Amino acid sequence: MKSDELEHNDGQSRAPSGARVSREAAPADGQGHGPPPTHQRAWASAPAVHLAPAPYVTIQLASYITGLTEKAIRRKIEDGKWLDGREYRRSPDGGIFISMKGYQAWVEKG
């Protein structure tokens, strides 16, 4: 693609995927090589952060972690396949939180 094909009236360029790219953020050589912008380099020298997994997660996050849909998780709770205090818990305000240990035990039970 020629550079004049990427130019738009607003002074911004469009990557082939359609993402907007500012000229200031483009690498110096124009080929996608070179150092990242300085605002992206600041974290590189920061120490690594280690996060411990949460023992209870929301249904939405449990869906991402387990690969089960949110509907499937809710159905297991409604059908009594998952029990309160074992695979999930209710918070004081009624929210449902999935126990990751409970889920793991349920999977390993086979």
Side-chain angles (χ1 to χ4, degrees), residues 80-103:
K81 293 178 182 176
W82 284 8
L83 302 177
D84 191 355
R86 195 169 68 185
E87 286 87 14
Y88 75 96
R89 287 193 185 267
R90 288 196 180 269
S91 65
D93 64 356
I96 297 173
F97 290 86
I98 306 303
S99 165
M100 296 314 297
K101 284 184 181 180
Y103 167 77

Side-chain angles (χ1 to χ4, degrees), residues 15-96:
S17 67
R20 293 172 98 49
V21 178
S22 167
R23 284 183 182 207
E24 293 80 32
D29 66 1
Q31 298 297 316
H33 301 44
T38 54
H39 68 278
Q40 292 179 354
R41 262 188 279 154
W43 62 267
S45 61
V49 175
H50 299 279
L51 299 175
Y56 295 93
V57 298
T58 62
I59 291 177
Q60 182 180 21
L61 185 54
S63 175
Y64 287 116
I65 293 169
T66 65
L68 296 170
T69 64
E70 291 182 39
K71 184 176 181 179
I73 292 171
R74 291 182 191 282
R75 181 144 309 147
K76 288 178 188 335
I77 292 169
E78 291 168 7
D79 293 347
K81 293 178 182 176
W82 284 8
L83 302 177
D84 191 355
R86 195 169 68 185
E87 286 87 14
Y88 75 96
R89 287 193 185 267
R90 288 196 180 269
S91 65
D93 64 356
I96 297 173

